């Protein structure tokens, strides 16, 4: 099997912290970021809980030094903040010294501004600069500009809740096939009325703190976040003597081909994606030390994913937990958020607690870790499963 | 590295392109600034009950995919990779409108579900029962080329044998209205034959779906070999020629080897100068073709250009309606496509006769 792809930097902003260090502190303190929504005036504000980032758009614009007439959606603002941290973490001084690309992902894109100015656009010219900021690729273009990436490979993936995992996968393949020397991969999604109401109509939003893998789970909490990893080629790592945080050892993508929004009861897609990732990594199920599950706390996901885990790991399921009760389900960004958490797990030999779990599900005997656990970790498997049957698995490792 | 071939095509566009035996024999001329796809009788392809529920983008995508899969003589593929700039934008508009007009009440999930960008790829997978790799790229005018690059990598390294790729975008009323306001759509209705002489800003917006089965096995139905694709988020006009020559060199080719240049000109006064840079510069002695007067401009319009390239190489014929200059090549061996939108997201794609 070919070697893993080196991760040399990471950045994140989520409801539990504005950078990697803050996120880690919240994870080990068991501190959730879920609260009542404050920044969007929605009819549902008393009946949902969300993972909201503390900064206002104005504050984020200030951090990025943007002029008042900028046309950044909140997705682009969050993305730029996290991507900049990743670049700084990787100690990249000259982004143009190597062939550097960016593969980002989003599901919301600039919808937050579109829903705000939808009718206003037709009446007045004041906010029309945001029209160009609507399409999903716009936030990626802005992040590229912020990082100084030009004349290069820049693209965006949108496969619902598996988007960022797919961006990491595609980025790793671009490095492996020598298309790029360095690639920034990840995703960003802000909260919007569009997604809140969308998930509300699907009746999968919990009115309280979400409880992944619990028999009495009531649905998910939405969240907003952005996270990016820096992937670098073996040549670059050697030449620059880079510090490596971990490796993308394996990846797998499969489609459930079952239903437009629901997962199959037996988790066919998730089973396939985990199996593929193990094959690419050259690992056996017993080699996996911890699973950071997708675990959204919807009735459908946790049953389907749990069954898939049992199909792949049999009676020897390693420790697993979902971190969604910390951050909320951050949709397209989730795969990148949890990639950062997986690397932090490997670095610190720590398994995070699956918050709010009380009652085992009746369909199987799987029980997530409910307290912080220390364990020597060499490999972490991370699942991201989404609408349209999209199932993705990434395996991160300490060693190449 | 394995060679990669275009084994089949399926196109729904503002021209009657859904019959693969035909190559623009009957041209529809428009006098407008927004044009719609000429749709097949969907009942011939999908059960009417299913079709009724589907957004236009889904219908166009599913049917174009079906035509391509059938022509490749397959029933399934190893992977489905789509590109779309805006996804099913009509459903996005419907859902936003419903949220705003009804103050977040009385909403139904259908338009939310269909608005997700990966809905077309998901529906195709569902339709043929494809549990393989399923990706959707959503990056403006390189959405299709990103899908192409992904497929090319997997086929060259033999990770897959047959991959369905496609570009699909539908036109939405509100989206068009606001793009008129910011002059991305031409202010005037224009005859499609006069698009490049408009001298006004903006483009004529269109829609469509163009799907292809790519494979590392050449077969009787094969249209062309794909040599390479490269995308750039930015590219100053002054560096276009240098970058293009380097791309050709990396594929062991030079400007003289190109028999046809397929150009993405859309008649926008502010941005067609990129195309002129090539047509009046490096490629001034090369036969040139354009196509957006027939398809309209949309984020994945270049997938229609790719369809044109595949058709030219297989048929060894260029319909007079798409010629951009009077130069005639002796034969059509190698075709280069160049596209960009509003000066950003440029792509070069190379095809060869097989």
């Amino acid at each position: 099997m070919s070697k893993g792809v080196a991760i040399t930097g990471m950045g994140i902003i989520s409801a539990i912290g504005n950078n990697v260090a803050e996120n880690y502190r919240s994870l080990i303190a068991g501190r959730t970021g879920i609260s009542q929504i404050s920044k969007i005036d929605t009819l549902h504000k008393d009946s949902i809980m969300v993972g909201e980032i503390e900064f206002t758009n104005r504050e984020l614009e200030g951090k990025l030094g943007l002029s008042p007439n900028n046309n950044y959606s909140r997705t682009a603002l969050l993305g730029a903040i996290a991507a900049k941290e990743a670049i700084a973490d990787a100690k990249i001084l000259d982004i143009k010294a190597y062939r550097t690309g960016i593969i980002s992902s989003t599901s919301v894109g600039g919808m937050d501004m579109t829903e705000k100015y939808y009718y206003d656009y037709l009446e007045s010219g004041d906010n029309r600069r945001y029209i160009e900021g609507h399409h999903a690729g716009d936030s990626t273009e802005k992040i590229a500009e912020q990082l100084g990436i030009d004349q290069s490979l820049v693209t965006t993936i949108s496969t619902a809740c598996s988007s960022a995992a797919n961006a990491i996968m595609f980025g790793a393949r671009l490095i492996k096939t020598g298309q790029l020397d360095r690639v920034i991969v990840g995703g960003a999604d802000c909260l919007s009325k569009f997604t809140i109401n969308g998930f509300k109509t699907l009746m999968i939003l919990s009115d309280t703190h979400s409880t992944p893998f619990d028999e009495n789970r009531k649905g998910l909490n939405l969240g907003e976040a952005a996270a990016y990893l820096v992937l670098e080629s073996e040549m670059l790592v050697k030449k620059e003597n880079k510090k490596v945080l971990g490796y993308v050892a394996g990846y797998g993508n499969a489609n459930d081909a079952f239903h437009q929004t629901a997962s199959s009861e037996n988790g066919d897609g998730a089973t396939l994606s985990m199996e593929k990732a193990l094959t690419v990594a050259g690992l056996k199920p017993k080699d996996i030390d911890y699973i950071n599950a997708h675990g959204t706390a919807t009735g459908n996901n946790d049953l389907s994913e749990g069954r898939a885990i049992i199909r792949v790991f049999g009676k020897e399921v390693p420790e697993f937990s979902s971190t969604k009760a910390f951050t909320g389900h951050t949709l397209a960004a989730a795969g990148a958020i949890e990639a950062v958490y997986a690397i932090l797990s490997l670095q610190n030999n720590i398994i995070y607690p699956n918050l709010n779990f009380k009652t085992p599900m009746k369909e199987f005997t799987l029980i997530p870790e409910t307290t912080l656990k220390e364990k020597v970790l060499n490999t972490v498997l991370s699942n991201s499963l989404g609408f349209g049957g999209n199932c993705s698995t990434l395996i991160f490792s300490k060693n190449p | 590295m394995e060679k990669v071939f275009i084994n089949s095509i399926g196109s729904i566009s503002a021209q009657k392109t859904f019959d693969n035996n035909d190559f623009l024999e009957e041209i529809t001329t428009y006098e407008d600034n927004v044009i719609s796809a000429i749709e097949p009788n969907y009942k011939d392809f999908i059960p009417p009950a299913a079709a009724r529920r589907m957004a236009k983008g889904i219908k166009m995508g599913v049917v174009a995919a079906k035509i391509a899969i059938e022509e490749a003589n397959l029933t399934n593929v190893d992977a489905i990779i789509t590109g779309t700039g805006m996804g099913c934008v009509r459903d996005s508009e419907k859902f936003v409108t419903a949220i705003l007009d009804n103050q977040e009440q009385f909403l139904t999930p259908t338009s939310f579900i269909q608005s997700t960008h990966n809905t077309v790829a998901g529906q195709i997978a569902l339709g043929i029962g494809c549990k393989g790799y399923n990706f959707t790229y959503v990056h403006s005018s390189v959405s299709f080329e990103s899908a192409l690059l992904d497929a090319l990598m997997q086929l060259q390294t033999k990770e897959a044998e047959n991959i369905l790729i496609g570009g699909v975008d539908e036109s939405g009323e509100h989206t068009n209205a606001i793009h008129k306001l910011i002059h991305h759509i031409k202010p005037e209705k224009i005859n499609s034959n006069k698009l490049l002489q408009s001298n006004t800003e903006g483009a004529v917006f269109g829609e469509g779906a163009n799907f292809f089965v790519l494979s590392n096995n050449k077969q009787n139905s094969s249209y062309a070999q794909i040599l390479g694709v490269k995308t750039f988020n930015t590219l100053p006009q002054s560096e276009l020629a240098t970058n293009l020559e380097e791309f050709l060199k990396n594929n062991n080719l030079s400007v003289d080897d190109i028999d046809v240049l397929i150009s993405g000109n859309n008649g926008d006064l502010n941005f067609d100068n990129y195309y002129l840079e090539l047509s009046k510069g490096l490629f001034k002695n090369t036969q040139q073709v354009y196509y957006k007067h027939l398809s309209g401009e949309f984020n994945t319009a270049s997938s229609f250009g790719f369809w044109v390239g595949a058709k030219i190489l297989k048929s060894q014929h260029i319909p007079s309606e798409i010629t951009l200059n009077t130069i005639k090549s002796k034969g059509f061996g190698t075709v280069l496509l160049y596209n960009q939108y509003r000066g950003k997201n440029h792509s070069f794609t190379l095809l060869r006769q097989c």
Side-chain angles (χ1 to χ4, degrees):
Chain A
M1 276 299 124
S2 60
K3 282 184 178 173
V5 175
I7 301 162
T8 58
M10 51 190 188
I12 186 170
I13 182 164
S14 80
I16 60 166
N18 302 316
N19 51 49
V20 173
E22 285 181 23
N23 270 268
Y24 185 65
R25 276 201 294 276
S26 296
L27 285 168
I28 55 170
R31 194 161 55 232
T32 179
I34 303 299
S35 62
Q36 281 211 311
I37 195 162
S38 71
K39 292 186 178 61
I40 296 177
D41 183 23
T42 166
L43 179 78
H44 310 299
K45 59 177 180 287
D46 296 324
S47 62
I48 59 167
M49 302 278 278
V50 297
E52 211 172 22
I53 288 165
E54 60 178 284
F55 294 124
T56 61
N57 283 10
R58 187 68 60 80
E59 288 167 328
L60 294 167
E61 287 167 7
K63 287 181 181 300
L64 292 168
L66 299 175
S67 69
N69 62 346
N70 76 78
N71 70 341
Y72 277 57
S73 64
R74 189 165 169 88
T75 299
L77 294 169
L78 299 176
I81 298 269
K84 281 189 155 183
E85 187 192 7
I87 293 294
D89 187 38
K91 302 196 166 42
I92 295 170
L93 302 173
D94 180 7
I95 198 112
K96 292 189 177 66
Y98 294 92
R99 293 175 304 160
T100 303
I102 170 162
I103 313 299
S104 186
S105 59
T106 182
S107 66
V108 177
M111 186 56 89
D112 57 327
M113 296 303 172
T114 302
E115 66 190 25
K116 207 163 162 185
Y117 301 125
Y118 195 78
Y119 289 128
D120 176 64
Y121 286 150
L122 302 170
E123 306 296 327
S124 131
D126 292 351
N127 297 301
R128 284 182 191 158
R129 64 184 186 280
Y130 285 109
I131 293 173
E132 277 191 272
H134 170 81
H135 74 96
D138 180 74
S139 53
T140 314
E141 286 175 17
K142 290 191 159 76
I143 296 164
E145 198 183 324
Q146 287 282 331
L147 302 181
I149 297 173
D150 55 18
Q151 301 188 35
S152 191
L153 201 168
V154 172
T155 192
T156 311
I157 292 166
S158 193
T159 50
C161 314
S162 63
S163 303
N166 288 339
I168 294 169
M169 189 179 313
F170 185 55
R173 289 177 43 237
L174 288 168
I175 298 287
K176 276 195 184 180
T177 54
Q179 303 268 344
L180 292 172
D181 303 315
R182 177 161 62 201
V183 60
I184 289 86
V185 292
D189 254 340
C190 66
L191 284 165
S192 67
K193 277 190 187 177
F194 193 87
T195 35
I196 291 169
N197 283 284
F199 282 86
K200 191 87 187 167
T201 61
L202 292 167
M203 297 183 283
I204 52 176
L205 290 184
S206 172
D207 59 357
T208 179
H209 288 269
S210 73
T211 61
F213 295 105
D214 189 282
E215 172 65 16
N216 302 311
R217 61 199 182 282
K218 294 169 77 179
L220 58 86
N221 303 132
L222 285 171
E224 58 180 357
Y228 290 88
L229 305 178
V230 178
L231 306 183
E232 294 187 315
S233 72
E234 203 181 341
M235 172 278 293
L236 198 167
V237 167
K238 274 198 188 132
K239 203 167 152 189
E240 301 276 317
N241 197 18
K242 295 291 286 263
K243 183 184 168 201
V244 178
L245 311 177
Y247 295 84
V248 180
Y251 38 76
N253 175 294
N255 195 284
D256 215 19
F258 171 73
H259 185 270
Q260 187 61 25
T261 56
S263 301
S264 65
E265 217 169 280
N266 291 318
D268 286 353
T271 303
L272 281 170
S273 70
M274 285 189 272
E275 286 171 350
K276 280 188 190 176
L278 286 164
T279 306
V280 170
L283 296 172
K284 297 265 177 289
K286 67 172 171 44
D287 299 324
I288 299 298
D289 298 321
Y290 163 52
I291 300 172
N292 185 306
H294 189 55
T296 56
T298 64
N300 181 232
N301 177 82
D302 294 3
L303 177 59
S304 175
E305 186 180 11
R307 285 196 166 139
I309 288 172
I310 292 168
R311 278 171 74 180
V312 174
F313 291 90
K315 289 197 170 98
E316 285 156 45
V317 176
E319 286 91 337
F320 76 98
S321 62
S322 160
T323 46
K324 294 286 194 301
F326 282 93
T327 56
H329 186 2
T330 59
L331 305 181
I337 301 305
E338 287 152 35
V340 170
Y341 294 170
I343 304 300
L344 287 168
S345 276
L346 289 170
Q347 287 180 322
N348 298 288
N349 296 302
I350 284 286
I351 291 170
Y352 313 116
N354 186 108
L355 301 179
N356 310 328
F357 175 87
K358 282 194 191 80
T359 316
M361 288 166 61
K362 65 174 184 306
E363 291 88 351
F364 42 60
T365 55
L366 291 181
I367 296 184
E369 293 308 304
T370 54
T371 53
L372 193 72
K373 180 170 177 176
E374 284 187 47
K375 178 187 176 185
V376 176
L377 300 177
N378 286 303
T379 54
V380 176
L381 181 146
S382 175
N383 281 334
S384 294
L385 317 170
F387 275 15
N390 282 102
C391 301
S392 300
T393 300
L394 297 171
I395 297 175
F396 299 96
S397 66
K398 205 173 263 175
N399 303 305
Chain B
M1 266 192 329
E2 292 287 309
K3 286 182 178 173
V4 178
F5 302 94
I6 305 170
N7 275 2
S8 66
I9 61 175
S11 170
I12 293 173
S13 71
Q15 301 299 321
K16 192 179 153 289
T17 48
F18 48 82
D19 180 356
N20 281 350
N21 296 314
D22 186 344
F23 183 24
L24 300 174
E25 276 156 32
E26 180 193 312
I27 299 280
T28 305
T29 307
Y30 294 92
E31 186 99 27
D32 216 328
N33 50 5
V34 173
I35 63 178
S36 304
I38 298 174
E39 298 175 275
N41 189 357
Y42 289 118
K43 277 184 234 152
D44 298 346
F45 301 92
I46 4 179
R52 263 198 306 277
R53 286 194 302 270
M54 287 179 179
K56 189 177 188 184
I58 300 177
K59 276 192 284 198
M60 291 194 298
V62 164
V63 170
K66 198 160 182 172
I67 293 170
I69 290 168
E70 271 170 23
E71 193 186 32
N73 205 14
L74 297 170
T75 50
N76 213 326
V77 288
D78 302 321
I80 298 168
I81 312 176
T82 61
T84 179
M86 301 286 269
C88 293
V89 67
R90 292 174 176 203
D91 280 282
S92 299
E93 291 179 5
K94 251 191 245 172
F95 201 63
V96 176
T97 308
I99 290 172
L100 297 175
D101 294 354
N102 304 317
Q103 289 79 42
E104 303 183 73
Q105 293 174 86
F106 321 115
L107 300 166
T108 54
T110 310
S111 53
F112 175 68
I113 294 166
Q114 303 210 80
S115 76
T116 49
H117 290 85
N118 61 331
T119 191
V120 176
Q123 286 281 357
I124 296 170
L126 205 51
I128 61 172
C130 177
K131 291 183 190 284
Y133 182 96
N134 193 296
F135 256 52
T136 298
Y137 291 89
V138 293
H139 198 85
S140 182
S141 56
V142 295
S143 301
F144 173 72
E145 285 71 18
S146 301
L148 175 60
L149 172 65
D150 188 345
L152 209 51
M153 273 164 50
Q154 296 193 46
L155 292 166
Q156 283 172 341
T157 54
K158 263 198 138 173
E159 283 175 64
E161 245 178 277
N162 294 295
I163 299 183
L164 176 75
I165 68 162
V168 55
D169 272 295
E170 62 175 26
S171 168
E173 204 181 323
H174 179 269
T175 305
N176 290 338
I178 61 179
H179 282 83
K180 280 178 186 164
L181 292 171
I182 57 170
H183 316 297
H184 288 196
I185 295 180
K186 285 194 177 299
E188 79 283 13
K189 297 188 176 206
I190 186 162
N191 184 289
S192 33
N193 295 320
K194 299 191 178 113
L195 180 72
L196 300 194
Q197 289 80 50
S198 70
N199 261 320
T200 53
E201 54 179 350
V204 171
F205 271 23
E207 59 179 1
N210 297 280
F211 277 72
F212 310 87
V213 172
L214 309 187
S215 172
N216 38 36
N217 301 315
K218 191 181 161 206
Q219 61 189 44
N220 284 337
S221 70
S222 297
Y223 282 75
Q225 186 193 341
I226 305 167
L227 299 182
V229 60
K230 192 166 168 65
T231 64
F232 302 82
N233 62 327
T234 62
L235 204 51
Q237 204 181 315
S238 56
E239 300 199 26
L240 176 60
T242 332
N243 277 285
L244 181 49
E245 283 184 301
E246 197 189 318
F247 170 72
L248 292 175
K249 203 175 134 208
N250 289 339
N251 285 284
N252 303 314
L253 293 170
S254 70
V255 171
D256 296 339
D257 297 315
I258 304 301
D259 300 309
V260 184
L261 171 71
I262 302 180
S263 233
N265 307 49
N266 63 12
D268 187 327
L269 174 68
N270 296 331
F271 299 102
D272 266 6
N273 44 353
Y274 280 91
Y275 300 109
L276 297 178
E277 176 80 29
L278 295 186
S279 59
K280 297 206 184 302
L282 283 182
F283 294 93
K284 61 177 188 293
N285 298 318
T286 307
Q287 181 160 3
Q288 297 166 15
V289 158
Y290 75 125
Y291 57 88
K292 284 184 187 160
H293 59 309
L294 302 184
S295 66
E297 178 66 277
F298 49 101
N299 288 137
T300 47
S302 56
S303 66
F304 183 74
F306 191 82
W307 179 88
V308 168
K311 275 287 198 187
I312 290 175
L313 287 170
K314 188 170 181 178
S315 68
Q316 289 293 304
H317 162 68
I318 297 183
S320 59
E321 287 83 354
I322 59 173
T323 55
L324 194 51
N325 60 2
T326 52
I327 297 166
K328 295 240 183 300
S329 287
K330 286 205 183 75
F332 308 125
T334 310
V335 167
L336 170 73
L337 292 100
Y338 168 55
N339 187 57
Q340 51 83 18
Y341 182 57
R342 301 187 67 79
K344 292 197 286 188
N345 297 308
H346 306 252
S347 64
F348 304 139
T349 307
L350 265 175
L351 304 178
R352 177 180 279 168
Q353 188 182 11
C354 70

